[in-house]
Amino acid sequence: MSNTSGDMPEPVLVDGLKQTSPMIDPFGRAVTYLRVSVTDRCDFRCVYCMSEHMTFLPKRDVLSLEELDRVCTAFIEKGVKKLRLTGGEPLVRKNIMSMIRSLSRHLDSGALEELTLTTNGSQLTRFADELYDCGVRRVNVSLDTRDADKFHEITRWGDLEKVDRGIEAARKAGLHVKINMVALKGVNSHEIDDMMKWCHDDGMDLTLIETMPLGEIDGDRTDQYLPLSVVRADLRERWTLEDIPYKTGGPARYMEVKETGGRIGFITPMTHNFCESCNRVRLTCTGTLYMCLGQDDAADLRAPMRASSGNGLLNQAIDEAIGRKPKGHDFIIDRTSKTPSMSRHMSVTGG
Ligand code: SAM
Ligand code: SF4
């Protein structure tokens, strides 16, 4: 169903929000979760994410904050309940707080259940209080090591102390912090126990992520790839891990660690296909909608949005895109050619 042609029903107004057709994909999955990369720029250069001398998108190609608000609102009208802002580093986008403040109206109306972000934590000392004030209650902070030198090695430009201060500010502001750690063989794999204890001592969940073959980087991914099935088996030698039904709306599978009482999540795109329950789509900062993180098919939403001030064309483009959401991804780290199976970087699609 689309509201673009004259014979289609007009959207219904509920709490001031136009309710348009909900998004159900060809496999019956309701799309209720939108991840938006608000910028491809970042103040770090993590080795698995970017090359040191990244070429960023020309500013004219990037959606304005008003356009980002408009497209997010169109998705909320179509049933998105959870919105995650990511990047690049979302908090380095100029005036990003004005957009977050504006989007918080959808939390106030109840149309949106959660507004959250994934951040490297570097700007949280500046923004934590305001984020809480805008209705943000949880943030994911990416942190791969507790060792300051190693942190600098992995992020190239990052400063662990600044991130620690950011995490502290977030917790003080009342934000629930979850730590995301990319597990890298020979880099931080020996630190997983310590990271878990550090998180659980402070009541934070830890989620481990397998490195994914997204975008050209300077190094060799086959050297870094560490299957989380191996990590889990290793953890089980020292810890009692119990499957729990806890869900945050994302792809992580959680376990409770009996000894700490804390939770550990595993995001395993490489070793486990989590696509059957996928409720997500991703929007880049240029307005390209990816229906799957691991597939190239995409829809341009910027052109239909810029073509008219009404949302008819935009809604039609969204509906067509959701109608093509694939069943699943097919990541491979090619051991012969060493090229990524996906050419775009995580900072473009958003993690
Ligand atoms: N800059 C923010 C941050 O680092 O949290 C948000 C964007 S970042 C692209 C989102 C997440 O993607 C981070 O947790 C990062 O560690 C992860 N990531 C980046 N490149 C990755 C890759 N090739 N494989 C797996 N995770 C990756
Ligand atoms: Fe920046 Fe996040 Fe990518 Fe690191 S993982 S370079 S912090 S976007």
Side-chain angles (χ1 to χ4, degrees):
M1 192 170 76
S2 136
N3 67 339
T4 51
S5 57
D7 55 353
M8 290 293 169
E10 279 299 303
V12 183
L13 267 177
V14 178
D15 287 331
L17 196 76
K18 290 178 206 138
Q19 302 283 297
T20 50
S21 49
M23 298 177 289
I24 309 287
D25 80 0
F27 304 95
R29 298 168 298 190
V31 176
T32 54
Y33 184 171
L34 175 67
R35 291 190 175 213
V36 182
S37 175
V38 297
T39 176
D40 64 328
R41 285 155 204 264
C42 188
D43 52 343
F44 291 4
R45 290 288 181 281
C46 300
V47 288
Y48 49 75
C49 180
M50 294 186 187
S51 66
E52 186 154 20
H53 305 285
M54 277 289 281
T55 310
F56 292 107
L57 294 161
K59 287 216 167 116
R60 62 174 182 280
D61 289 353
V62 174
L63 297 186
S64 68
L65 292 174
E66 291 72 23
E67 287 173 323
L68 280 167
D69 186 306
R70 180 174 159 200
V71 69
C72 288
T73 301
F75 273 97
I76 294 165
E77 288 173 349
K78 288 185 158 296
V80 159
K81 297 285 173 213
K82 181 168 170 166
L83 190 60
R84 177 174 294 278
L85 306 182
T86 175
E89 175 46 42
L91 295 178
V92 301
R93 171 101 196 227
K94 203 169 163 209
N95 288 333
I96 188 66
M97 284 313 305
S98 67
M99 187 185 87
I100 296 178
R101 170 82 54 196
S102 167
L103 286 172
S104 72
R105 71 189 186 280
H106 299 307
L107 290 171
D108 296 339
S109 75
L112 187 64
E113 285 166 10
E114 186 171 38
L115 175 58
T116 181
L117 61 159
T118 300
T119 171
N120 65 24
S122 69
Q123 309 300 314
L124 281 173
T125 44
R126 284 165 67 199
F127 295 126
D129 286 329
E130 207 178 340
L131 286 169
Y132 188 88
D133 195 47
C134 290
V136 175
R137 291 295 175 263
R138 296 194 304 148
V139 289
N140 288 356
V141 178
S142 306
L143 182 63
D144 301 326
T145 175
R146 297 292 314 140
D147 176 324
D149 292 334
K150 183 148 288 175
F151 185 78
H152 188 70
E153 257 169 57
I154 295 175
T155 62
R156 294 194 185 103
W157 296 0
D159 172 5
L160 180 59
E161 206 192 310
K162 193 171 174 195
V163 171
D164 277 349
R165 274 189 273 118
I167 293 172
E168 208 182 300
R171 288 161 50 79
K172 264 203 191 125
L175 296 171
H176 193 84
V177 178
K178 177 167 79 77
I179 302 294
N180 282 348
M181 175 183 191
V182 176
L184 300 162
K185 188 162 72 182
V187 178
N188 65 0
S189 37
H190 59 287
E191 287 185 57
I192 293 174
D193 282 45
D194 286 345
M195 182 69 93
M196 187 177 81
K197 280 188 262 175
W198 179 77
C199 289
H200 290 181
D201 278 352
D202 273 340
M204 297 185 287
D205 291 344
L206 171 66
T207 297
L208 301 175
I209 306 175
E210 277 172 353
T211 173
M212 292 175 244
L214 300 173
E216 292 285 353
I217 54 168
D218 298 330
D220 176 1
R221 278 202 167 91
T222 49
D223 288 348
Q224 301 167 349
Y225 174 58
L226 175 62
L228 290 187
S229 50
V230 172
V231 173
R232 194 163 30 217
D234 178 58
L235 283 170
R236 279 202 157 114
E237 304 220 331
R238 295 172 301 286
W239 307 92
T240 318
L241 302 184
E242 245 177 45
D243 274 315
I244 48 169
Y246 179 73
K247 280 262 153 215
T248 59
R253 305 249 160 126
Y254 283 92
M255 306 188 95
E256 188 177 287
V257 184
K258 280 286 147 206
E259 290 80 358
T260 64
R263 283 186 291 249
I264 184 159
F266 298 86
I267 300 185
T268 54
M270 307 297 288
T271 51
H272 179 90
N273 209 308
F274 50 47
C275 305
E276 68 277 1
S277 59
C278 180
N279 57 353
R280 289 172 293 286
V281 287
R282 294 160 198 268
L283 186 75
T284 71
C285 58
T286 56
T288 303
L289 185 72
Y290 284 96
M291 285 70 84
C292 173
L293 180 63
Q295 299 278 359
D296 271 327
D297 187 29
D300 174 30
L301 302 185
R302 187 179 60 191
M305 182 160 50
R306 289 185 176 169
S308 81
S309 56
N311 277 0
L313 292 173
L314 173 62
N315 283 333
Q316 191 177 24
I318 295 173
D319 289 344
E320 277 169 14
I322 300 301
R324 307 202 300 268
K325 184 166 160 62
K327 194 167 179 198
H329 66 235
D330 185 23
F331 283 133
I332 35 163
I333 292 182
D334 187 334
R335 282 172 206 285
T336 46
S337 72
K338 311 252 188 242
T339 50
S341 70
M342 300 296 306
S343 58
R344 64 183 189 271
H345 288 90
M346 188 73 128
S347 52
V348 172
T349 329

